[in-house]
Amino acid sequence: MALSGVEIFKLLPKTNCKKCGFPTCLAFAMKLAQRQASLDACPDVSDEAKQVLGEASAPPVRPITFGSGDKAVKMGEETVLFRHDKKFVNPCAFAIEIKDSLSEEEITARVEAVLNSEIDRVGQKLRVDAIALTNISNDAGKFEAAGKIIASKAPDVPVIICTGDAQAGEAALKLFAGKNPVLYGANASNAEAMAAVAKEHKAILGVAGNSPEELTDLTEKIKSLGVEDMVIDSGAKTAKEMIEHNTLIRRAAVKKNFKPLGYPIINLVQRDDSLFESLLATVGVTKYASILVLSSVEKWKNLALFTLRQNIYTDPQVPMQVEQKIYSIGEPQPESPLFITTNFSLTYFIVSGEIENSKVASRLAVMDCEGLSVLTAWAAGKFTASKIAQFITESGIDKDVANKELIIPGYVAILSGAIEEKLPGWKITVGPREANALPAFLKTR
Amino acid sequence: MAFTPPKETYSGTVYPLTIGTGDKAVTIGGENVLSFHSFEGQTPFKPVIAYEIQDVPPSDWPESVRKPYDSVSDDPVKWAQFCQDTLKAKALALRLVGTHPDRENRSPEEAAKTVSDILSAVDIPLIILGSNHVEKDAPVLVAASEAAKDKNCVIGKAQEANYKTIAAAAMANNHKLIAMSELDINLSKQLNILLTQMGFEKERLITDPMCSALGYGLEYTYSVMERIRLAALTQNDVTMQPPMLGDVGMYVWKVKESQAPESDLPEWGATEERGIAWEAQTGASLLIAGSELLIMRHPRAVEAVEKLIEELT
Ligand code: B12
Ligand code: SF4
């Protein structure tokens, strides 16, 4: 439970010695309650108070690293319910189910689909993050064999070992030693055995209850058995249950600092209908899931889900932006065309991508407009004739180009006269409105 | 430690709003909780998806979404009947794009005729949209409102620059009205206030905070919707309590991801599936953010989102 200022005050030395930098112990307690001070600042606090307060002041959703190396996924650390309050911190991971009942070829094909799932979007490399190996066969031997294929073909991909059989789980976990795998499937009937195995092999334990209430009992019990890192599944299967359970869990964690549910959420959303599955995943991405287990990796579905996750997890205060400078595309010569646009990442990547498609070496002048798109920046007075003229003049680009011609976005055609006035000696050409018309535009020049 | 579900109670309620007449009328809104939070309050009505149709053939729609309507889209009446009878649409959204001066530049009278023809051919609720040309929309929507008098349609969109004429026509002919502003909670609130000050009942409004497609500003629409809904519920702000619209199809079917051929971009996968998923995910996200009325184009995207609504309620 979150402690109030007064509750914290009761645990402090109450000497008002000011060593913490606050006039009174009470003032310090109030700051602690608002998470604006750290307990370390008081040198005289008792060990008992440290333990109680330390628990209460830990992040509301436990930070956990799943997997290891470059492909490790960070989870937890969330502090809010709504993205407009503060950036959502750690984007949810997408895991693909691989059933141990599949043939070796099928397993290999799916592993390869995961390895090849990486897509570049707006400068970020996005991919299917993890593999969830499920023990559909109920046969420990098959499970281990499938695990071996995954461990050898995709040694860097984080893995979720899904089984309720602690022994089968242990055999599979050994294949991923030192790689922070998840062992998923602890429940009321096997909690002790699963906790022992997770502890022994330093795995994150995936705990599955039938409701948030049951989960609470389970995580408390498992924690008392010495396992700290858990991911939790409330048993939500339908979209309605996902919204209800995930919301209650996130609220309990961030508003009440309720520790038994302060863990990253895992939702199993596999459905036969791939399009519908992507909508359940939409519910999970928007509503607080940290791991979503999917059944398939069609490329169209990946692209849509990766994009959604990127949108929901961007910082609401700061649009994604690129550095202001003149970018070379290909190897521009003095007579190569010069374009101008704004520094909103999405705008930059779309425009530079289309110029690349056209295979015409070019220069792209990217102007700092605080990460706004062309029209937004224009409407906000940041992409104006005088600012463009100043940027071009100060860049010194006139020394590198043979003909002083600047191509502007079609949507701001209205600016061309004013820019020409402010940039004597330059010719301003209005380009197409949409970037996808750039290859054709360049061809006809 | 026992778990007590941290439920919220809110002080505000979204207005329930009925569109259409007779058996086929639908009601949206009415909830006193965030979207699909039926575990802590009332969610009396389900969100509704309207199929988008046009007064002119959809030559500017990408092939994947044009195809399902190939045999009917040369005639708005046939197109409307197809949506109602074959696709089992719960509502229709007629966009009068043909009135745009840069398009066919059809007259307000022609637009009014299309509206009357459709209304005599179908009985599901009708949303009537202009071509988003601020000046031209005023006379077009006035004529359309009159042609649809007493049919309890939705007229849209009234914007800051043209709301007076359009709102007056919607009021005089007993319609509901979409008030659209551009991705800004304060602008949206202000427009609703202006409308109510001129006598338009706030219970007859639908707020359109402006849509954006997945990958192209969706997060802005998403957060503006969440903030509007929180203001309505937690602060009981009556100017923020109309149901919200997500005009999804128009935004989705112009972005590159909904149409680029797979042969150009093999890493993006099948074109048609991708476009459908793009539309369905944009719509689903906005439902979660708070909208209760969506306008969409592809039958498979509508079907998937309707199935999601069933599962969420
Ligand atoms: C998201 C958004 C916002 C976000 C900002 C997002 C951002 N980082 O820019 C927010 C909510 C902050 C915002 C605010 C405003 N917005 Co705004 N916004 C949008 C929206 C929905 C999408 C913009 C976007 O991301 N586009 C995608 C990028 C990639 O587009 P782009 O940069 O234009 O690039 C394309 C082309 O221009 C071209 N291109 C780009 N560079 C180049 C270069 C060359 C050489 C060529 C040839 C082509 C080319 O290629 C790209 C792809 O085809 C648009 C509406 C829309 N759907 O377009 C409105 C829109 C741009 N906004 C608008 C307005 C008015 C505003 C505000 C002034 C008003 C307000 N509501 O408060 C504020 C101003 C901001 C401020 N700080 O004061 C208007 C502008 C109208 C106009 N013509 O003036 C628009 C068009 C909405 C509308 N229909 O009225 N907005
Ligand atoms: S340092 Fe500790 S004991 Fe001293 S005033 Fe601050 S809280 Fe109180």
Side-chain angles (χ1 to χ4, degrees), chain A residues 151-225:
Chain A
S152 73
K153 305 255 182 243
D156 300 331
V157 176
V159 170
I160 308 172
I161 308 285
C162 307
T163 176
D165 173 347
Q167 264 184 327
E170 177 160 35
L173 277 183
K174 285 185 182 152
L175 304 167
F176 303 95
K179 291 182 179 169
N180 295 326
V182 172
L183 173 63
Y184 170 93
N187 55 35
S189 64
N190 66 10
E192 283 85 4
M194 294 288 277
V197 171
K199 199 172 160 189
E200 163 85 26
H201 297 279
K202 297 196 173 54
I204 301 158
L205 192 56
V207 184
N210 284 315
S211 63
E213 288 79 2
E214 196 195 330
L215 254 188
T216 303
D217 298 341
L218 276 170
T219 58
E220 287 192 309
K221 175 171 180 185
I222 288 167
K223 190 172 176 206
S224 72
L225 294 170

Side-chain angles (χ1 to χ4, degrees), chain B residues 165-278:
Chain B
T165 345
I166 297 172
M171 201 156 48
N173 298 289
N174 292 322
H175 298 303
K176 306 292 172 8
L177 181 70
I178 299 168
M180 183 186 112
S181 48
E182 284 156 5
L183 283 177
D184 183 326
I185 183 169
N186 296 315
L187 291 179
S188 170
K189 184 177 161 78
Q190 188 190 326
L191 181 58
N192 289 355
I193 292 173
L194 290 172
L195 283 159
T196 45
Q197 277 171 354
M198 64 172 280
F200 200 93
E201 283 174 77
K202 54 189 187 310
E203 295 83 359
R204 302 176 69 85
L205 285 173
I206 295 174
T207 296
D208 177 4
M210 201 167 105
C211 187
S212 18
L214 176 60
Y216 294 85
L218 176 69
E219 69 274 29
Y220 293 97
T221 303
Y222 184 90
S223 284
V224 172
M225 282 188 170
E226 275 196 337
R227 290 176 62 205
I228 289 179
R229 187 46 47 85
L230 285 166
L233 298 176
T234 61
Q235 295 154 30
N236 196 15
D237 181 342
V238 294
T239 64
M240 305 262 74
Q241 287 171 347
M244 286 189 282
L245 166 71
D247 193 356
V248 171
M250 173 174 98
Y251 285 89
V252 166
W253 292 101
K254 69 179 181 202
V255 307
K256 183 167 184 172
E257 284 81 351
S258 66
Q259 46 196 306
E262 188 178 5
S263 50
D264 289 357
L265 288 153
E267 69 275 22
W268 282 9
T271 311
E272 188 174 350
E273 298 301 316
R274 191 193 322 128
I276 294 169
W278 222 258

Side-chain angles (χ1 to χ4, degrees), chain A residues 12-26 28-29 41-45:
Chain A
L12 293 176
K14 302 193 200 75
T15 55
N16 299 335
C17 75
K18 302 191 174 59
K19 282 184 264 184
C20 56
F22 292 89
T24 60
C25 295
L26 183 62
F28 181 60
C42 170
D44 303 328
V45 71

